[in-house]
Amino acid sequence: MIIPVRCMSCGKPVGHLWEEFKERRRDEDPKEVLDELGLDRYCCRSLFLTHTDLTGKVSKFKK
Ligand SMILES: [Zn+2]
């Protein structure tokens, strides 16, 4: 759905990093991008690596 504003496990604010991660992971190694964004904990890293952005699909069903 939409990336959470904070990591659900540790509470670190991560929502503002999603757009940059999405753009850069096309060309770069995701590990390098996560390191440079300062996401050190594995809870935050797994959140970014496993997130699927469904905003476009869900918005078709808006009332
Ligand atoms: Zn975390």
Side-chain angles (χ1 to χ4, degrees):
M1 193 64 124
I2 302 172
I3 193 83
V5 174
R6 288 180 175 262
C7 174
M8 287 177 267
S9 297
C10 70
K12 177 182 172 120
V14 294
H16 63 291
L17 302 171
W18 173 248
E19 289 298 323
E20 183 178 349
F21 176 77
K22 195 168 69 173
E23 291 297 317
R24 290 177 60 186
R25 88 172 156 192
R26 291 183 194 143
D27 306 323
E28 300 177 45
D29 182 18
K31 177 193 178 297
E32 301 295 327
V33 180
L34 288 170
D35 287 344
E36 287 173 25
L37 289 176
L39 296 169
D40 300 324
R41 300 187 188 106
Y42 57 81
C43 52
C44 308
R45 294 172 83 95
S46 68
L47 181 69
F48 273 64
L49 291 174
T50 59
H51 180 70
T52 307
D53 203 354
L54 297 176
T55 311
K57 290 184 180 175
V58 173
S59 63
K60 291 177 190 166
F61 301 101
K62 184 180 175 186
K63 290 183 182 177

